[in-house]
């Protein structure tokens, strides 16, 4: 847990450092990135990879949730049909 907290704190400090170091005039983002110290470059790259991983994980969870909702609605619809048929027979 502490590793995660320290990693997220490192990402935050990396972005703050990038905000202060990157605003060099007349340069593109990648030229600015190449002028940063190597640890800051690695930290920014790692944070981008973490964001991509969390995004993929979130998309996977949403797809799984959507599949489960569709399946449960099908089961509920079949159960309602059975109840309706039972009520029609009893009437």
């Amino acid at each position: 847990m502490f590793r995660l907290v320290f990693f997220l704190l490192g990402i935050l400090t990396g972005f703050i450092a990038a905000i202060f170091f990157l605003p060099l005039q007349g340069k593109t983002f990648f030229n600015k990135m190449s002028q940063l110290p190597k640890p800051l470059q690695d930290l920014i790259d790692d944070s981008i990879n973490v964001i991509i991983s969390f995004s993929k994980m979130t998309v996977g969870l949403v797809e799984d949730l959507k599949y489960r909702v569709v399946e449960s609605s099908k089961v509920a619809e079949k159960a309602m049909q059975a109840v309706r048929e039972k009520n029609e027979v009893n009437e």
Side-chain angles (χ1 to χ4, degrees), residues 6 9 21 32 35 81:
F6 286 129
L9 184 63
F21 285 118
K32 294 175 191 176
Q35 294 178 358
Q81 261 323 82

Side-chain angles (χ1 to χ4, degrees), residues 20-89:
F20 286 113
F21 285 118
L22 289 179
L24 304 171
Q25 294 299 323
K27 303 283 184 173
T28 65
F29 175 76
F30 296 107
N31 288 338
K32 294 175 191 176
M33 280 285 291
S34 67
Q35 294 178 358
L36 289 174
K38 183 70 173 151
L40 285 177
Q41 291 176 5
D42 292 340
L43 188 61
I44 292 170
D45 290 338
D46 290 343
S47 64
I48 291 170
N49 288 336
V50 166
I51 290 169
I52 291 170
S53 297
F54 279 134
S55 301
K56 287 181 179 179
M57 188 172 65
T58 303
V59 167
L61 289 173
V62 166
E63 289 293 323
D64 184 50
L65 182 64
K66 184 173 82 171
Y67 174 75
R68 289 175 188 248
V69 166
V70 167
E71 288 299 315
S72 64
S73 67
K74 287 179 184 178
V75 169
E77 186 177 341
K78 287 179 183 178
M80 285 298 294
Q81 261 323 82
V83 168
R84 287 181 186 148
E85 289 174 2
K86 189 183 259 188
N87 284 341
E88 289 176 1
V89 170

